[in-house]
Amino acid sequence: MNDEKKVLLGMSLAELQQVVAELGMPKFTAAQIAKWLYQQHVGAIDEMTNLSKANREKLNQSYQVGCMAPIDSQHSKDGTIKYLFPVASGHFVETVYIPDGDRATLCVSCQVGCKMNCLFCQTGKQGYEGSLSAGDILNQIYSLPERETLTNIVFMGQGEPMDNLDAILRATEVLTSDYGYAWSPRRITVSSVGVKNKLKRFLDESECHVAISMHSPLPEQRRQLMPAEKQMSITEVVELLKQYDFSHQRRCSFEYICFAGLNDTTTHAREIIKLLRGLDCRVNLIRFHEIPGVDLPGADEKRMEAMRDYLTAHGVFTTIRASRGQDIFAACGLLSTAKKQAAGQ
């Protein structure tokens, strides 16, 4: 990619209007550019054929589309595909495509590595190497070979979305606006460990679903698993969520990785029920996928089913998430580009 040229991908209609005004182009060309970008998915400015040649040349002098194809892919036996995308900084991120019958979900990354350093997550072990721009985030969708089949997007890949909130909000604006992809925000879920002030801002400024990483209802234990508990406790997160209405279409869910004998007991289930009382939400139980150097045992199927049934019987709708792409390290908590970057891939 030409670093001297600014990237059009990721710009809102208002930003594109500013671009055409600065270049002395008619105002209506901003909407034409948006259509070429977000509906036609062009790879170059010269493909925007209803712009005059002179205007294409003006654009080309300072701007580029900014799309970049994945440089690698791994295919799981269950149909899941993990892609390796380059980002403008020269780093890489992993993106996971998950087909499931008539649904197809894309798990998108928002940072290279992650600052949160959750004990059970491979991405956290990579450390933090930078945040993605809105263009970098959207490129994972824009340049996806299966783009046309997508029904849902989850921001559950590498990074903490609330730690890169401006870029997340810009990307989801393009995804949900009429000038962009025109998706319903109900097709998009943004995850978070809970980041003070940022989570509230997301809830106020976005209508997308929210998924909170809980993993333990007990503050002390959660702090050991997730250092982010020190900055914003799970109790504070739930109290904040109770100020919003999730009884209609917008959904609130909690992610909960089950560790054998550690957080899968009846005591934990009771504490979850107590914590979530009065909040319209669901809990997703997730199998733990072992990572090197972390001595945490995954709960067995029977134990997870017992926990699911107990929670559901006590009014907390709970499911066990199907584990996908584990054989290609694409499952929950396994994404990392550390080795690829070290190898200069």
Side-chain angles (χ1 to χ4, degrees), residues 9-30:
L9 181 59
M11 285 192 180
S12 65
L13 183 59
E15 288 168 324
L16 291 171
Q17 286 168 345
Q18 203 174 332
V19 167
V20 301
E22 284 169 4
L23 295 176
M25 293 159 63
K27 190 176 180 181
F28 65 82
T29 50

Side-chain angles (χ1 to χ4, degrees), residues 30-63:
Q32 291 177 321
I33 294 168
K35 190 171 182 180
W36 283 114
L37 286 173
Y38 303 127
Q39 291 169 38
Q40 303 298 324
H41 294 91
V42 294
I45 288 165
D46 286 333
E47 294 173 44
M48 301 180 183
T49 49
N50 62 351
L51 273 62
S52 70
K53 192 177 178 191
N55 282 336
R56 293 201 301 268
E57 283 173 3
K58 277 185 195 174
L59 259 184
N60 262 318
Q61 283 171 12
S62 304
Y63 292 91

Side-chain angles (χ1 to χ4, degrees), residues 34-35 37-41 138 141 150-151 153 170-188 208:
K35 190 171 182 180
L37 286 173
Y38 303 127
Q39 291 169 38
Q40 303 298 324
H41 294 91
L138 286 172
I141 301 152
L150 290 179
T151 58
I153 290 170
R170 287 161 66 95
T172 53
E173 181 193 329
V174 170
L175 287 168
T176 58
S177 294
D178 289 342
Y179 69 78
Y181 284 70
W183 275 35
S184 163
R186 309 303 180 228
R187 293 170 67 180
I188 303 167
C208 298

